[in-house]
Amino acid sequence: MSAWKNEPFKIEVKAGESKAFCMCGLSKNGPFCDGSHVETRKMPEVVKFEEDKTLYVCGCQQSANRPYCDGTHKNIQT
Ligand code: FES
């Protein structure tokens, strides 16, 4: 698994919208699922939002709270 980038993606979502976040780390469209998980046992995290909000979605793939950033990227040496 390699990072998409060493910082979170800032994503605006709207109430009623759903997003499928990549959890296998293989997506070429990170942090969103592109179907690459079919060869793994991991499934995307599908979230339906009930309100408009700003998300900080993990780009380093090291967060303990994926798909969301937990600040772990600050400890990664580049
Ligand atoms: S981008 Fe991965 S923990 Fe922040």
Side-chain angles (χ1 to χ4, degrees):
M1 186 177 343
S2 60
W4 293 299
K5 61 181 187 174
N6 196 26
E7 62 185 0
F9 294 90
K10 182 179 178 184
I11 297 169
E12 308 289 338
V13 296
K14 300 284 186 198
E17 192 174 26
S18 293
K19 296 285 186 190
F21 297 105
C22 174
M23 298 301 284
C24 72
L26 299 176
S27 176
K28 305 245 182 317
N29 187 36
F32 303 109
C33 174
D34 71 353
S36 295
H37 62 272
V38 294
E39 296 180 14
T40 75
R41 293 178 183 223
K42 296 186 177 179
M43 296 296 291
E45 179 83 9
V46 179
V47 182
K48 183 172 183 178
F49 299 95
E50 297 182 358
E51 59 187 344
D52 294 3
K53 61 168 60 172
T54 301
L55 306 176
Y56 292 91
V57 178
C58 179
C60 74
Q61 301 184 21
Q62 302 297 312
S63 172
N65 190 35
R66 289 186 67 206
Y68 305 109
C69 174
D70 71 354
T72 299
H73 65 272
K74 295 174 187 168
N75 301 327
I76 296 173
Q77 304 291 324
T78 55

mmCIF file of all heavy atoms in Angstrom, residues 8-60:
data_model
loop_
_atom_site.group_PDB
_atom_site.id
_atom_site.type_symbol
_atom_site.label_atom_id
_atom_site.label_comp_id
_atom_site.label_asym_id
_atom_site.label_seq_id
_atom_site.Cartn_x
_atom_site.Cartn_y
_atom_site.Cartn_z
ATOM 1 N N PRO A 8 -4.005 15.156 4.289
ATOM 2 C CA PRO A 8 -5.387 14.772 4.013
ATOM 3 C C PRO A 8 -5.950 15.471 2.778
ATOM 4 O O PRO A 8 -5.466 16.528 2.367
ATOM 5 C CB PRO A 8 -6.132 15.214 5.281
ATOM 6 C CG PRO A 8 -5.287 16.264 5.891
ATOM 7 C CD PRO A 8 -3.870 15.964 5.507
ATOM 8 N N PHE A 9 -6.968 14.842 2.209
ATOM 9 C CA PHE A 9 -7.766 15.468 1.151
ATOM 10 C C PHE A 9 -8.885 16.244 1.838
ATOM 11 O O PHE A 9 -9.587 15.683 2.685
ATOM 12 C CB PHE A 9 -8.421 14.413 0.258
ATOM 13 C CG PHE A 9 -7.475 13.594 -0.560
ATOM 14 C CD1 PHE A 9 -6.950 12.404 -0.061
ATOM 15 C CD2 PHE A 9 -7.126 13.988 -1.840
ATOM 16 C CE1 PHE A 9 -6.092 11.629 -0.828
ATOM 17 C CE2 PHE A 9 -6.275 13.222 -2.623
ATOM 18 C CZ PHE A 9 -5.758 12.045 -2.109
ATOM 19 N N LYS A 10 -9.054 17.495 1.491
ATOM 20 C CA LYS A 10 -10.172 18.285 2.000
ATOM 21 C C LYS A 10 -11.321 18.139 1.010
ATOM 22 O O LYS A 10 -11.176 18.494 -0.166
ATOM 23 C CB LYS A 10 -9.771 19.759 2.138
ATOM 24 C CG LYS A 10 -10.878 20.616 2.717
ATOM 25 C CD LYS A 10 -10.415 22.063 2.863
ATOM 26 C CE LYS A 10 -11.522 22.933 3.403
ATOM 27 N NZ LYS A 10 -11.124 24.351 3.465
ATOM 28 N N ILE A 11 -12.430 17.585 1.476
ATOM 29 C CA ILE A 11 -13.549 17.258 0.596
ATOM 30 C C ILE A 11 -14.826 17.851 1.171
ATOM 31 O O ILE A 11 -15.133 17.659 2.343
ATOM 32 C CB ILE A 11 -13.688 15.730 0.453
ATOM 33 C CG1 ILE A 11 -12.425 15.167 -0.207
ATOM 34 C CG2 ILE A 11 -14.930 15.359 -0.336
ATOM 35 C CD1 ILE A 11 -12.349 13.664 -0.159
ATOM 36 N N GLU A 12 -15.558 18.537 0.326
ATOM 37 C CA GLU A 12 -16.861 19.092 0.714
ATOM 38 C C GLU A 12 -17.945 18.099 0.292
ATOM 39 O O GLU A 12 -17.950 17.643 -0.854
ATOM 40 C CB GLU A 12 -17.106 20.434 0.004
ATOM 41 C CG GLU A 12 -15.992 21.448 0.154
ATOM 42 C CD GLU A 12 -15.889 22.035 1.551
ATOM 43 O OE1 GLU A 12 -16.893 21.998 2.286
ATOM 44 O OE2 GLU A 12 -14.804 22.518 1.907
ATOM 45 N N VAL A 13 -18.828 17.745 1.222
ATOM 46 C CA VAL A 13 -19.938 16.853 0.883
ATOM 47 C C VAL A 13 -21.253 17.550 1.202
ATOM 48 O O VAL A 13 -21.312 18.443 2.041
ATOM 49 C CB VAL A 13 -19.852 15.497 1.629
ATOM 50 C CG1 VAL A 13 -18.620 14.731 1.194
ATOM 51 C CG2 VAL A 13 -19.885 15.695 3.132
ATOM 52 N N LYS A 14 -22.290 17.114 0.505
ATOM 53 C CA LYS A 14 -23.623 17.687 0.673
ATOM 54 C C LYS A 14 -24.542 16.681 1.352
ATOM 55 O O LYS A 14 -24.366 15.462 1.210
ATOM 56 C CB LYS A 14 -24.219 18.045 -0.698
ATOM 57 C CG LYS A 14 -23.404 19.046 -1.488
ATOM 58 C CD LYS A 14 -23.600 20.421 -0.930
ATOM 59 C CE LYS A 14 -22.911 21.472 -1.789
ATOM 60 N NZ LYS A 14 -22.726 22.714 -1.067
ATOM 61 N N ALA A 15 -25.542 17.165 2.055
ATOM 62 C CA ALA A 15 -26.541 16.301 2.678
ATOM 63 C C ALA A 15 -27.172 15.403 1.625
ATOM 64 O O ALA A 15 -27.517 15.869 0.536
ATOM 65 C CB ALA A 15 -27.604 17.160 3.350
ATOM 66 N N GLY A 16 -27.284 14.114 1.957
ATOM 67 C CA GLY A 16 -27.902 13.154 1.051
ATOM 68 C C GLY A 16 -26.929 12.507 0.089
ATOM 69 O O GLY A 16 -27.275 11.535 -0.592
ATOM 70 N N GLU A 17 -25.708 13.014 0.029
ATOM 71 C CA GLU A 17 -24.701 12.489 -0.880
ATOM 72 C C GLU A 17 -24.020 11.262 -0.252
ATOM 73 O O GLU A 17 -23.835 11.211 0.956
ATOM 74 C CB GLU A 17 -23.668 13.598 -1.110
ATOM 75 C CG GLU A 17 -22.707 13.390 -2.214
ATOM 76 C CD GLU A 17 -21.827 14.641 -2.426
ATOM 77 O OE1 GLU A 17 -21.608 15.429 -1.490
ATOM 78 O OE2 GLU A 17 -21.366 14.798 -3.534
ATOM 79 N N SER A 18 -23.633 10.311 -1.080
ATOM 80 C CA SER A 18 -22.856 9.154 -0.624
ATOM 81 C C SER A 18 -21.494 9.159 -1.290
ATOM 82 O O SER A 18 -21.372 9.545 -2.453
ATOM 83 C CB SER A 18 -23.565 7.847 -0.980
ATOM 84 O OG SER A 18 -24.757 7.727 -0.256
ATOM 85 N N LYS A 19 -20.508 8.691 -0.550
ATOM 86 C CA LYS A 19 -19.140 8.559 -1.084
ATOM 87 C C LYS A 19 -18.626 7.174 -0.728
ATOM 88 O O LYS A 19 -18.876 6.663 0.372
ATOM 89 C CB LYS A 19 -18.194 9.597 -0.464
ATOM 90 C CG LYS A 19 -18.543 11.044 -0.776
ATOM 91 C CD LYS A 19 -18.168 11.405 -2.183
ATOM 92 C CE LYS A 19 -18.398 12.899 -2.419
ATOM 93 N NZ LYS A 19 -18.276 13.243 -3.840
ATOM 94 N N ALA A 20 -17.872 6.580 -1.637
ATOM 95 C CA ALA A 20 -17.217 5.288 -1.386
ATOM 96 C C ALA A 20 -15.723 5.542 -1.301
ATOM 97 O O ALA A 20 -15.082 5.878 -2.300
ATOM 98 C CB ALA A 20 -17.539 4.304 -2.498
ATOM 99 N N PHE A 21 -15.187 5.375 -0.091
ATOM 100 C CA PHE A 21 -13.768 5.634 0.144
ATOM 101 C C PHE A 21 -12.977 4.334 0.018
ATOM 102 O O PHE A 21 -13.364 3.301 0.562
ATOM 103 C CB PHE A 21 -13.561 6.231 1.539
ATOM 104 C CG PHE A 21 -14.216 7.551 1.711
ATOM 105 C CD1 PHE A 21 -15.386 7.677 2.451
ATOM 106 C CD2 PHE A 21 -13.684 8.696 1.122
ATOM 107 C CE1 PHE A 21 -16.007 8.908 2.609
ATOM 108 C CE2 PHE A 21 -14.299 9.933 1.273
ATOM 109 C CZ PHE A 21 -15.453 10.043 2.012
ATOM 110 N N CYS A 22 -11.857 4.414 -0.661
ATOM 111 C CA CYS A 22 -10.970 3.265 -0.847
ATOM 112 C C CYS A 22 -10.386 2.842 0.494
ATOM 113 O O CYS A 22 -9.858 3.669 1.240
ATOM 114 C CB CYS A 22 -9.839 3.630 -1.810
ATOM 115 S SG CYS A 22 -8.593 2.336 -1.982
ATOM 116 N N MET A 23 -10.470 1.552 0.809
ATOM 117 C CA MET A 23 -9.874 1.013 2.026
ATOM 118 C C MET A 23 -8.779 -0.001 1.719
ATOM 119 O O MET A 23 -8.090 -0.467 2.621
ATOM 120 C CB MET A 23 -10.963 0.372 2.896
ATOM 121 C CG MET A 23 -12.032 1.346 3.366
ATOM 122 S SD MET A 23 -11.382 2.731 4.336
ATOM 123 C CE MET A 23 -11.085 1.914 5.896
ATOM 124 N N CYS A 24 -8.635 -0.369 0.446
ATOM 125 C CA CYS A 24 -7.594 -1.350 0.095
ATOM 126 C C CYS A 24 -6.283 -0.658 -0.263
ATOM 127 O O CYS A 24 -5.232 -1.288 -0.280
ATOM 128 C CB CYS A 24 -8.050 -2.234 -1.056
ATOM 129 S SG CYS A 24 -8.120 -1.419 -2.663
ATOM 130 N N GLY A 25 -6.332 0.612 -0.578
ATOM 131 C CA GLY A 25 -5.129 1.365 -0.912
ATOM 132 C C GLY A 25 -4.693 1.234 -2.354
ATOM 133 O O GLY A 25 -3.666 1.782 -2.742
ATOM 134 N N LEU A 26 -5.452 0.538 -3.187
ATOM 135 C CA LEU A 26 -5.043 0.290 -4.567
ATOM 136 C C LEU A 26 -5.689 1.231 -5.574
ATOM 137 O O LEU A 26 -5.313 1.230 -6.751
ATOM 138 C CB LEU A 26 -5.372 -1.156 -4.957
ATOM 139 C CG LEU A 26 -4.683 -2.233 -4.119
ATOM 140 C CD1 LEU A 26 -5.179 -3.609 -4.545
ATOM 141 C CD2 LEU A 26 -3.171 -2.121 -4.258
ATOM 142 N N SER A 27 -6.654 2.020 -5.131
ATOM 143 C CA SER A 27 -7.369 2.901 -6.059
ATOM 144 C C SER A 27 -6.422 3.886 -6.734
ATOM 145 O O SER A 27 -5.529 4.446 -6.115
ATOM 146 C CB SER A 27 -8.456 3.676 -5.313
ATOM 147 O OG SER A 27 -9.080 4.596 -6.190
ATOM 148 N N LYS A 28 -6.659 4.099 -8.011
ATOM 149 C CA LYS A 28 -5.906 5.113 -8.759
ATOM 150 C C LYS A 28 -6.623 6.455 -8.674
ATOM 151 O O LYS A 28 -6.185 7.433 -9.256
ATOM 152 C CB LYS A 28 -5.769 4.694 -10.217
ATOM 153 C CG LYS A 28 -5.143 3.313 -10.391
ATOM 154 C CD LYS A 28 -3.825 3.377 -11.080
ATOM 155 C CE LYS A 28 -3.164 2.041 -11.336
ATOM 156 N NZ LYS A 28 -3.198 1.073 -10.263
ATOM 157 N N ASN A 29 -7.746 6.461 -7.951
ATOM 158 C CA ASN A 29 -8.536 7.682 -7.778
ATOM 159 C C ASN A 29 -8.707 7.982 -6.291
ATOM 160 O O ASN A 29 -9.766 8.399 -5.851
ATOM 161 C CB ASN A 29 -9.900 7.520 -8.472
ATOM 162 C CG ASN A 29 -10.693 8.793 -8.480
ATOM 163 O OD1 ASN A 29 -10.139 9.884 -8.615
ATOM 164 N ND2 ASN A 29 -12.004 8.678 -8.336
ATOM 165 N N GLY A 30 -7.642 7.701 -5.501
ATOM 166 C CA GLY A 30 -7.718 7.914 -4.061
ATOM 167 C C GLY A 30 -8.083 9.344 -3.724
ATOM 168 O O GLY A 30 -7.726 10.244 -4.462
ATOM 169 N N PRO A 31 -8.865 9.510 -2.678
ATOM 170 C CA PRO A 31 -9.251 8.527 -1.668
ATOM 171 C C PRO A 31 -10.530 7.773 -2.004
ATOM 172 O O PRO A 31 -11.058 7.058 -1.165
ATOM 173 C CB PRO A 31 -9.455 9.407 -0.429
ATOM 174 C CG PRO A 31 -10.065 10.657 -0.984
ATOM 175 C CD PRO A 31 -9.325 10.862 -2.303
ATOM 176 N N PHE A 32 -11.004 7.917 -3.232
ATOM 177 C CA PHE A 32 -12.262 7.264 -3.594
ATOM 178 C C PHE A 32 -12.013 5.886 -4.214
ATOM 179 O O PHE A 32 -10.985 5.650 -4.851
ATOM 180 C CB PHE A 32 -13.051 8.144 -4.574
ATOM 181 C CG PHE A 32 -13.320 9.505 -4.028
ATOM 182 C CD1 PHE A 32 -12.664 10.615 -4.531
ATOM 183 C CD2 PHE A 32 -14.209 9.685 -2.974
ATOM 184 C CE1 PHE A 32 -12.887 11.879 -4.016
ATOM 185 C CE2 PHE A 32 -14.439 10.946 -2.452
ATOM 186 C CZ PHE A 32 -13.780 12.048 -2.969
ATOM 187 N N CYS A 33 -12.973 5.008 -4.043
ATOM 188 C CA CYS A 33 -12.904 3.660 -4.613
ATOM 189 C C CYS A 33 -12.991 3.733 -6.132
ATOM 190 O O CYS A 33 -13.812 4.486 -6.679
ATOM 191 C CB CYS A 33 -14.077 2.839 -4.058
ATOM 192 S SG CYS A 33 -14.229 1.198 -4.782
ATOM 193 N N ASP A 34 -12.151 2.933 -6.795
ATOM 194 C CA ASP A 34 -12.265 2.805 -8.255
ATOM 195 C C ASP A 34 -12.491 1.349 -8.662
ATOM 196 O O ASP A 34 -12.356 1.004 -9.834
ATOM 197 C CB ASP A 34 -11.031 3.392 -8.952
ATOM 198 C CG ASP A 34 -9.779 2.551 -8.772
ATOM 199 O OD1 ASP A 34 -9.817 1.568 -7.989
ATOM 200 O OD2 ASP A 34 -8.763 2.862 -9.410
ATOM 201 N N GLY A 35 -12.823 0.500 -7.692
ATOM 202 C CA GLY A 35 -13.099 -0.907 -7.987
ATOM 203 C C GLY A 35 -11.876 -1.800 -7.900
ATOM 204 O O GLY A 35 -11.984 -3.011 -8.079
ATOM 205 N N SER A 36 -10.714 -1.238 -7.600
ATOM 206 C CA SER A 36 -9.474 -2.035 -7.555
ATOM 207 C C SER A 36 -9.482 -3.090 -6.456
ATOM 208 O O SER A 36 -8.689 -4.031 -6.508
ATOM 209 C CB SER A 36 -8.265 -1.118 -7.365
ATOM 210 O OG SER A 36 -8.106 -0.267 -8.477
ATOM 211 N N HIS A 37 -10.368 -2.963 -5.479
ATOM 212 C CA HIS A 37 -10.401 -3.909 -4.353
ATOM 213 C C HIS A 37 -10.857 -5.305 -4.754
ATOM 214 O O HIS A 37 -10.768 -6.226 -3.940
ATOM 215 C CB HIS A 37 -11.327 -3.377 -3.255
ATOM 216 C CG HIS A 37 -12.736 -3.239 -3.703
ATOM 217 N ND1 HIS A 37 -13.219 -2.099 -4.299
ATOM 218 C CD2 HIS A 37 -13.767 -4.112 -3.686
ATOM 219 C CE1 HIS A 37 -14.491 -2.272 -4.601
ATOM 220 N NE2 HIS A 37 -14.835 -3.484 -4.250
ATOM 221 N N VAL A 38 -11.325 -5.503 -5.971
ATOM 222 C CA VAL A 38 -11.872 -6.814 -6.356
ATOM 223 C C VAL A 38 -10.870 -7.934 -6.161
ATOM 224 O O VAL A 38 -11.272 -9.084 -5.979
ATOM 225 C CB VAL A 38 -12.415 -6.821 -7.804
ATOM 226 C CG1 VAL A 38 -13.609 -5.905 -7.919
ATOM 227 C CG2 VAL A 38 -11.348 -6.453 -8.806
ATOM 228 N N GLU A 39 -9.576 -7.642 -6.187
ATOM 229 C CA GLU A 39 -8.571 -8.689 -5.995
ATOM 230 C C GLU A 39 -8.117 -8.787 -4.543
ATOM 231 O O GLU A 39 -7.167 -9.513 -4.236
ATOM 232 C CB GLU A 39 -7.383 -8.438 -6.918
ATOM 233 C CG GLU A 39 -7.786 -8.528 -8.386
ATOM 234 C CD GLU A 39 -6.649 -8.294 -9.345
ATOM 235 O OE1 GLU A 39 -5.484 -8.318 -8.914
ATOM 236 O OE2 GLU A 39 -6.933 -8.071 -10.524
ATOM 237 N N THR A 40 -8.764 -8.064 -3.644
ATOM 238 C CA THR A 40 -8.420 -8.092 -2.225
ATOM 239 C C THR A 40 -9.645 -8.530 -1.428
ATOM 240 O O THR A 40 -10.722 -8.738 -1.985
ATOM 241 C CB THR A 40 -7.985 -6.707 -1.709
ATOM 242 O OG1 THR A 40 -9.135 -5.874 -1.567
ATOM 243 C CG2 THR A 40 -6.981 -6.052 -2.646
ATOM 244 N N ARG A 41 -9.488 -8.640 -0.121
ATOM 245 C CA ARG A 41 -10.629 -8.952 0.749
ATOM 246 C C ARG A 41 -11.202 -7.700 1.379
ATOM 247 O O ARG A 41 -12.089 -7.776 2.223
ATOM 248 C CB ARG A 41 -10.189 -9.919 1.846
ATOM 249 C CG ARG A 41 -9.825 -11.268 1.305
ATOM 250 C CD ARG A 41 -9.347 -12.165 2.408
ATOM 251 N NE ARG A 41 -8.952 -13.432 1.830
ATOM 252 C CZ ARG A 41 -9.244 -14.613 2.345
ATOM 253 N NH1 ARG A 41 -9.905 -14.675 3.471
ATOM 254 N NH2 ARG A 41 -8.851 -15.706 1.770
ATOM 255 N N LYS A 42 -10.661 -6.545 1.021
ATOM 256 C CA LYS A 42 -11.119 -5.299 1.619
ATOM 257 C C LYS A 42 -12.198 -4.657 0.762
ATOM 258 O O LYS A 42 -12.136 -4.702 -0.454
ATOM 259 C CB LYS A 42 -9.946 -4.342 1.786
ATOM 260 C CG LYS A 42 -8.905 -4.884 2.753
ATOM 261 C CD LYS A 42 -7.828 -3.892 3.034
ATOM 262 C CE LYS A 42 -6.861 -4.473 4.067
ATOM 263 N NZ LYS A 42 -5.778 -3.576 4.375
ATOM 264 N N MET A 43 -13.151 -4.071 1.452
ATOM 265 C CA MET A 43 -14.253 -3.402 0.766
ATOM 266 C C MET A 43 -14.163 -1.901 1.018
ATOM 267 O O MET A 43 -13.628 -1.466 2.040
ATOM 268 C CB MET A 43 -15.596 -3.915 1.304
ATOM 269 C CG MET A 43 -15.831 -5.391 1.020
ATOM 270 S SD MET A 43 -15.954 -5.729 -0.743
ATOM 271 C CE MET A 43 -17.508 -4.939 -1.131
ATOM 272 N N PRO A 44 -14.708 -1.090 0.104
ATOM 273 C CA PRO A 44 -14.703 0.347 0.349
ATOM 274 C C PRO A 44 -15.609 0.706 1.522
ATOM 275 O O PRO A 44 -16.533 -0.037 1.866
ATOM 276 C CB PRO A 44 -15.240 0.931 -0.960
ATOM 277 C CG PRO A 44 -16.013 -0.175 -1.585
ATOM 278 C CD PRO A 44 -15.349 -1.452 -1.162
ATOM 279 N N GLU A 45 -15.337 1.842 2.134
ATOM 280 C CA GLU A 45 -16.198 2.377 3.200
ATOM 281 C C GLU A 45 -17.179 3.327 2.526
ATOM 282 O O GLU A 45 -16.773 4.380 2.014
ATOM 283 C CB GLU A 45 -15.340 3.123 4.227
ATOM 284 C CG GLU A 45 -16.120 3.740 5.352
ATOM 285 C CD GLU A 45 -16.437 2.738 6.459
ATOM 286 O OE1 GLU A 45 -15.913 1.619 6.443
ATOM 287 O OE2 GLU A 45 -17.221 3.109 7.342
ATOM 288 N N VAL A 46 -18.433 2.931 2.499
ATOM 289 C CA VAL A 46 -19.457 3.760 1.860
ATOM 290 C C VAL A 46 -20.166 4.548 2.948
ATOM 291 O O VAL A 46 -20.668 3.965 3.910
ATOM 292 C CB VAL A 46 -20.458 2.909 1.061
ATOM 293 C CG1 VAL A 46 -21.516 3.797 0.426
ATOM 294 C CG2 VAL A 46 -19.725 2.079 0.004
ATOM 295 N N VAL A 47 -20.171 5.852 2.803
ATOM 296 C CA VAL A 47 -20.752 6.730 3.820
ATOM 297 C C VAL A 47 -21.799 7.623 3.157
ATOM 298 O O VAL A 47 -21.536 8.232 2.121
ATOM 299 C CB VAL A 47 -19.671 7.620 4.478
ATOM 300 C CG1 VAL A 47 -20.278 8.494 5.567
ATOM 301 C CG2 VAL A 47 -18.542 6.764 5.048
ATOM 302 N N LYS A 48 -22.993 7.664 3.769
ATOM 303 C CA LYS A 48 -24.026 8.596 3.325
ATOM 304 C C LYS A 48 -24.067 9.734 4.327
ATOM 305 O O LYS A 48 -24.188 9.497 5.538
ATOM 306 C CB LYS A 48 -25.389 7.916 3.222
ATOM 307 C CG LYS A 48 -26.447 8.865 2.689
ATOM 308 C CD LYS A 48 -27.752 8.175 2.383
ATOM 309 C CE LYS A 48 -28.724 9.168 1.781
ATOM 310 N NZ LYS A 48 -29.999 8.552 1.409
ATOM 311 N N PHE A 49 -23.986 10.931 3.846
ATOM 312 C CA PHE A 49 -23.917 12.109 4.713
ATOM 313 C C PHE A 49 -25.299 12.718 4.894
ATOM 314 O O PHE A 49 -26.056 12.843 3.942
ATOM 315 C CB PHE A 49 -22.924 13.114 4.134
ATOM 316 C CG PHE A 49 -21.541 12.538 4.046
ATOM 317 C CD1 PHE A 49 -21.083 11.957 2.878
ATOM 318 C CD2 PHE A 49 -20.717 12.498 5.161
ATOM 319 C CE1 PHE A 49 -19.827 11.372 2.801
ATOM 320 C CE2 PHE A 49 -19.465 11.910 5.112
ATOM 321 C CZ PHE A 49 -19.014 11.357 3.931
ATOM 322 N N GLU A 50 -25.580 13.093 6.134
ATOM 323 C CA GLU A 50 -26.894 13.642 6.456
ATOM 324 C C GLU A 50 -26.887 15.158 6.524
ATOM 325 O O GLU A 50 -27.922 15.775 6.713
ATOM 326 C CB GLU A 50 -27.383 13.040 7.771
ATOM 327 C CG GLU A 50 -27.575 11.532 7.649
ATOM 328 C CD GLU A 50 -28.096 10.899 8.921
ATOM 329 O OE1 GLU A 50 -28.282 11.606 9.920
ATOM 330 O OE2 GLU A 50 -28.306 9.676 8.886
ATOM 331 N N GLU A 51 -25.694 15.727 6.398
ATOM 332 C CA GLU A 51 -25.592 17.185 6.422
ATOM 333 C C GLU A 51 -24.406 17.616 5.571
ATOM 334 O O GLU A 51 -23.491 16.843 5.319
ATOM 335 C CB GLU A 51 -25.416 17.678 7.862
ATOM 336 C CG GLU A 51 -24.176 17.113 8.528
ATOM 337 C CD GLU A 51 -24.096 17.476 10.011
ATOM 338 O OE1 GLU A 51 -24.801 18.388 10.451
ATOM 339 O OE2 GLU A 51 -23.305 16.837 10.711
ATOM 340 N N ASP A 52 -24.439 18.866 5.147
ATOM 341 C CA ASP A 52 -23.292 19.425 4.438
ATOM 342 C C ASP A 52 -22.137 19.499 5.427
ATOM 343 O O ASP A 52 -22.323 19.914 6.575
ATOM 344 C CB ASP A 52 -23.600 20.850 3.953
ATOM 345 C CG ASP A 52 -24.690 20.900 2.903
ATOM 346 O OD1 ASP A 52 -25.265 19.851 2.571
ATOM 347 O OD2 ASP A 52 -24.966 22.011 2.412
ATOM 348 N N LYS A 53 -20.956 19.082 4.987
ATOM 349 C CA LYS A 53 -19.798 19.183 5.882
ATOM 350 C C LYS A 53 -18.505 19.139 5.092
ATOM 351 O O LYS A 53 -18.482 18.756 3.930
ATOM 352 C CB LYS A 53 -19.811 18.121 6.966
ATOM 353 C CG LYS A 53 -19.767 16.694 6.474
ATOM 354 C CD LYS A 53 -19.487 15.678 7.572
ATOM 355 C CE LYS A 53 -20.471 15.624 8.691
ATOM 356 N NZ LYS A 53 -20.252 14.512 9.627
ATOM 357 N N THR A 54 -17.439 19.515 5.764
ATOM 358 C CA THR A 54 -16.089 19.426 5.212
ATOM 359 C C THR A 54 -15.389 18.249 5.861
ATOM 360 O O THR A 54 -15.379 18.132 7.085
ATOM 361 C CB THR A 54 -15.305 20.723 5.505
ATOM 362 O OG1 THR A 54 -15.996 21.820 4.933
ATOM 363 C CG2 THR A 54 -13.892 20.640 4.920
ATOM 364 N N LEU A 55 -14.824 17.378 5.029
ATOM 365 C CA LEU A 55 -14.115 16.189 5.523
ATOM 366 C C LEU A 55 -12.631 16.351 5.289
ATOM 367 O O LEU A 55 -12.212 16.972 4.310
ATOM 368 C CB LEU A 55 -14.570 14.941 4.760
ATOM 369 C CG LEU A 55 -16.046 14.621 4.703
ATOM 370 C CD1 LEU A 55 -16.263 13.400 3.818
ATOM 371 C CD2 LEU A 55 -16.610 14.389 6.087
ATOM 372 N N TYR A 56 -11.856 15.733 6.158
ATOM 373 C CA TYR A 56 -10.412 15.606 5.951
ATOM 374 C C TYR A 56 -10.139 14.105 5.871
ATOM 375 O O TYR A 56 -10.126 13.404 6.879
ATOM 376 C CB TYR A 56 -9.638 16.294 7.076
ATOM 377 C CG TYR A 56 -9.826 17.791 7.008
ATOM 378 C CD1 TYR A 56 -10.860 18.413 7.699
ATOM 379 C CD2 TYR A 56 -9.012 18.562 6.181
ATOM 380 C CE1 TYR A 56 -11.064 19.781 7.593
ATOM 381 C CE2 TYR A 56 -9.209 19.929 6.070
ATOM 382 C CZ TYR A 56 -10.237 20.531 6.773
ATOM 383 O OH TYR A 56 -10.448 21.879 6.653
ATOM 384 N N VAL A 57 -9.981 13.656 4.638
ATOM 385 C CA VAL A 57 -9.860 12.225 4.359
ATOM 386 C C VAL A 57 -8.388 11.862 4.214
ATOM 387 O O VAL A 57 -7.631 12.543 3.504
ATOM 388 C CB VAL A 57 -10.643 11.863 3.079
ATOM 389 C CG1 VAL A 57 -10.492 10.390 2.745
ATOM 390 C CG2 VAL A 57 -12.115 12.225 3.261
ATOM 391 N N CYS A 58 -7.987 10.789 4.880
ATOM 392 C CA CYS A 58 -6.580 10.374 4.911
ATOM 393 C C CYS A 58 -6.015 10.151 3.510
ATOM 394 O O CYS A 58 -6.599 9.439 2.696
ATOM 395 C CB CYS A 58 -6.463 9.099 5.729
ATOM 396 S SG CYS A 58 -4.785 8.462 5.839
ATOM 397 N N GLY A 59 -4.872 10.745 3.256
ATOM 398 C CA GLY A 59 -4.165 10.548 1.997
ATOM 399 C C GLY A 59 -2.944 9.677 2.150
ATOM 400 O O GLY A 59 -2.435 9.121 1.177
ATOM 401 N N CYS A 60 -2.460 9.534 3.387
ATOM 402 C CA CYS A 60 -1.217 8.760 3.622
ATOM 403 C C CYS A 60 -1.492 7.279 3.822
ATOM 404 O O CYS A 60 -0.568 6.476 3.806
ATOM 405 C CB CYS A 60 -0.457 9.332 4.812
ATOM 406 S SG CYS A 60 -1.197 8.962 6.422
#
